Amino acid sequence: MTELVFATNNRNKLKEAEGILPDNFLLLNLDDIGCTAELPETADTLEENALMKARYVSEHFACNCFSDDTGLLVDALDGRPGVFSARYSGPEADSDKNIDKLLGEMEGKTMRKARFTTVIALILDGEEYLFEGSVEGTITEKRMGAKGFGYDPVFVPEGYSESFAQMSAEEKNRISHRGRALGKMQEFLMERSLRR
Ligand code: IMP
């Protein structure tokens, strides 16, 4: 059994990753390895941020691990908040304040296309791998639903009428940016297991 740490403090992300690893991998979280540090994510691309978090954990705890970084890219805002999605509304940012700021900036805009992109950085036996997943959609005019986390209440994926915050976890996972990136990592891990 190969242990693989998901380098995140976000319980929602952990839940989304559960059940996705092949049987010969065991998913651990930061509590399991005694990591209480705030992971660094000060770069200006999703790739570098994901790598930064995974490298921190891999170097300090000598383990196989992966980390993700996600951005919401809104066309009418020239791709903002993008890599700054977590801190969009300033140093005291939380999801509620971020959504308020986003809805404020989008007020009166008819072009509401956006996408979520997740980049996963995996460090396995000292080698680094990247996996990316995206989902297209639109920004709503007001909050819809109370499930999920982050910007979920104001994002409706293409082809659906419900926001991510109105969907079950399974349904979101099936079509979401993170679900797709995790799926690619899962495929890679399965193929790699078969080759051994
Ligand atoms: P990070 O990847 O944890 O840095 O997330 C960046 C920002 O995007 C944070 O504000 C998160 O709450 C938000 N975010 C990350 N993943 C999702 C998601 O699946 N749905 C909605 N918001 C998300």
Side-chain angles (χ1 to χ4, degrees), residues 13 41 69-70 85-86 98 116 149-152 172 177-178:
K13 289 186 180 182
E41 49 177 321
D69 202 49
T70 296
S85 295
N98 285 342
F116 273 117
F149 70 100
Y151 295 92
D152 280 348
K172 177 188 170 191
H177 44 302
R178 186 169 304 95

Side-chain angles (χ1 to χ4, degrees), residues 10-196:
N10 184 324
R11 294 265 139 211
N12 296 290
K13 289 186 180 182
L14 271 171
K15 230 185 278 159
E16 290 185 4
E18 270 163 18
I20 201 102
L21 294 181
D23 288 347
N24 53 334
F25 283 86
L26 178 67
L27 183 67
L28 300 181
N29 61 44
L30 291 176
D31 286 343
D32 295 327
I33 59 167
C35 174
T36 52
E38 188 73 35
L39 302 181
E41 49 177 321
T42 51
D44 51 18
T45 64
L46 298 177
E47 288 81 2
E48 278 304 314
N49 271 341
L51 278 168
M52 203 178 258
K53 291 186 265 190
R55 283 178 186 149
Y56 179 93
V57 171
S58 149
E59 281 161 18
H60 287 77
F61 294 86
C63 58
N64 291 316
C65 67
F66 67 97
S67 148
D68 87 335
D69 202 49
T70 296
L72 175 64
L73 293 87
V74 182
D75 286 355
L77 303 179
D78 298 324
R80 279 182 291 120
V83 70
F84 302 111
S85 295
R87 293 150 279 163
Y88 188 36
S89 58
E92 303 292 308
D94 60 26
S95 293
D96 229 31
K97 290 183 193 149
N98 285 342
I99 289 179
D100 284 343
K101 173 157 181 185
L102 177 65
L103 292 181
E105 292 212 314
M106 290 297 286
E107 211 170 302
K109 296 202 192 296
T110 47
M111 221 268 282
R112 305 189 72 92
K113 267 175 74 74
R115 76 204 46 78
F116 273 117
T117 297
T118 287
V119 175
I120 291 179
L122 166 70
I123 303 183
L124 190 60
D125 298 336
E127 297 288 330
E128 295 179 348
Y129 307 91
L130 293 173
F131 306 92
E132 188 179 313
S134 289
V135 59
E136 299 288 327
T138 50
I139 301 299
T140 56
E141 293 191 352
K142 54 184 175 49
R143 288 168 171 80
M144 288 163 51
K147 296 181 202 158
F149 70 100
Y151 295 92
D152 280 348
V154 292
F155 184 86
V156 173
E158 208 169 76
Y160 292 77
S161 54
E162 292 187 322
S163 77
F164 270 158
Q166 292 173 303
M167 294 180 177
S168 66
E170 294 71 34
E171 194 171 10
K172 177 188 170 191
N173 235 358
R174 206 160 35 76
I175 57 173
S176 80
H177 44 302
R178 186 169 304 95
R180 288 177 176 161
L182 284 167
K184 288 183 186 172
M185 182 176 78
Q186 180 194 37
E187 238 172 74
F188 167 81
L189 292 173
M190 278 178 162
E191 271 176 29
R192 191 175 178 276
S193 302
L194 289 176
R195 274 189 268 116
R196 305 204 145 206

